[in-house]
Amino acid sequence: MHGTKWTLIWQDEFDGTQLDRSKWDLDIGYTGESNAELEVYTDRRENLRLENSLLIIEAREEQYQSYAYTSARLKTQGLRSWTYGRVEARIKIPYGQGLWPAFWMLGDDVSTVGWPECGEIDIMENIGKMPAAVRGTLHGPGYCRDDGIYSDFFLADGKFADEFHIFSLDWEPGRLRWYMDGIEYHSLTPDDVPGKWVFNHPFFLIINVAVGGFWPGYPDETTKMPQFMYVDYVRVYSKGENT
């Protein structure tokens, strides 16, 4: 992989019939209100299930606990976190105005130091109004929200929801690199951020589909629901013997 020897140290191929709860926790009841999102996350089969060796997150338009949309959000918080390595997932994202699928990481000290001091690494985000683009972003103290340091990858034709793609992050001391289907499109070092570099400690993984928010905007008459995110696998590698 890109000339570097990587050793697989954690994976979920989603081959079973039930989510492996030794690997994933669920953000049940979380609403993303800080981003003005519209969904509530549940653990119901309607929103999260395994079928045909795929993890399926289904974003639905329905009245549920006073919310108009439901979805799911998985995380490895409290179960597993990593410092450095290669993080990769093969995903087919949903499509539609107001949809906001993401594959990302948060510093595992978020509960003590808060955000953005914990650091956030967005490996892949997409918003429905930009169907041919995915974004890789860093958020940290002094460069968060709209000031996050990002780069976009644009498809030459079609949209990301048309097929599966592999989204990867190579994370080494002092450098992060983002890849889409093996193509590097973003690279950052401590010299590239206007604040403290907080990417030298453990981070946990998150996968979710949000509905609405400040950045994606909100569903409209063009948005067809339900929408689905399909995840083929998630894999974490360490470099060489540093397992």
Side-chain angles (χ1 to χ4, degrees):
M1 295 179 209
H2 317 303
T4 302
K5 176 177 173 53
W6 297 99
T7 302
L8 183 64
I9 58 171
W10 186 92
Q11 68 192 116
D12 198 337
E13 308 291 326
F14 304 112
D15 288 334
T17 58
Q18 299 289 330
L19 184 69
D20 186 344
R21 298 301 298 269
S22 72
K23 295 180 176 178
W24 301 100
D25 191 14
L26 297 173
D27 266 329
I28 302 167
Y30 182 78
T31 63
E33 60 185 25
S34 62
N35 291 317
E37 297 164 27
L38 299 178
E39 85 291 329
V40 62
Y41 293 119
T42 87
D43 61 352
R44 303 176 305 155
R45 183 171 175 80
E46 290 91 337
N47 296 118
L48 176 79
R49 58 191 177 275
L50 268 56
E51 291 178 1
N52 303 315
S53 294
L54 297 171
L55 166 71
I56 302 173
I57 296 178
E58 180 175 345
R60 300 165 60 91
E61 182 177 10
E62 59 181 339
Q63 289 299 316
Y64 183 81
Q65 293 181 351
S66 79
Y67 293 89
Y69 296 90
T70 60
S71 187
R73 173 163 145 159
L74 297 77
K75 60 184 182 180
T76 66
Q77 184 179 20
L79 299 170
R80 192 69 188 268
S81 58
W82 301 268
T83 309
Y84 310 132
R86 179 178 178 83
V87 182
E88 180 176 283
R90 184 171 182 264
I91 301 172
K92 183 179 179 183
I93 65 168
Y95 167 70
Q97 167 59 33
L99 273 293
W100 185 6
F103 171 47
W104 52 297
M105 305 179 80
L106 274 179
D108 71 355
D109 56 353
V110 60
S111 59
T112 54
V113 304
W115 184 92
E117 284 71 18
C118 64
E120 176 180 327
I121 307 169
D122 298 322
I123 304 171
M124 180 282 296
E125 290 183 288
N126 165 271
I127 56 172
K129 68 179 74 171
M130 297 173 65
V134 290
R135 178 169 293 186
T137 309
L138 273 194
H139 298 274
Y143 48 103
C144 61
R145 296 198 181 277
D146 291 347
D147 295 321
I149 312 300
Y150 71 88
S151 185
D152 292 334
F153 183 99
F154 293 92
L155 291 173
D157 55 76
K159 59 185 184 290
F160 272 96
D162 291 338
E163 57 188 320
F164 282 90
H165 294 279
I166 297 173
F167 305 102
S168 312
L169 176 83
D170 285 2
W171 175 19
E172 300 178 74
R175 183 177 292 276
L176 290 156
R177 293 181 174 91
W178 285 255
Y179 298 86
M180 201 295 296
D181 287 344
I183 302 168
E184 180 180 337
Y185 72 96
H186 193 27
S187 177
L188 291 174
T189 71
D191 292 338
D192 299 317
V193 302
K196 184 181 178 184
W197 181 262
V198 290
F199 306 98
N200 50 6
H201 66 96
F203 277 61
F204 61 87
L205 280 170
I206 306 173
I207 303 173
N208 69 293
V209 178
V211 181
F214 295 124
W215 181 34
Y218 298 92
D220 60 20
E221 66 279 359
T222 69
T223 309
K224 293 180 171 59
M225 300 294 281
Q227 285 291 323
F228 304 89
M229 175 192 264
Y230 301 96
V231 185
D232 183 22
Y233 63 75
V234 181
R235 298 171 183 166
V236 180
Y237 300 82
S238 72
K239 191 173 182 180
E241 66 281 2
N242 301 322
T243 50

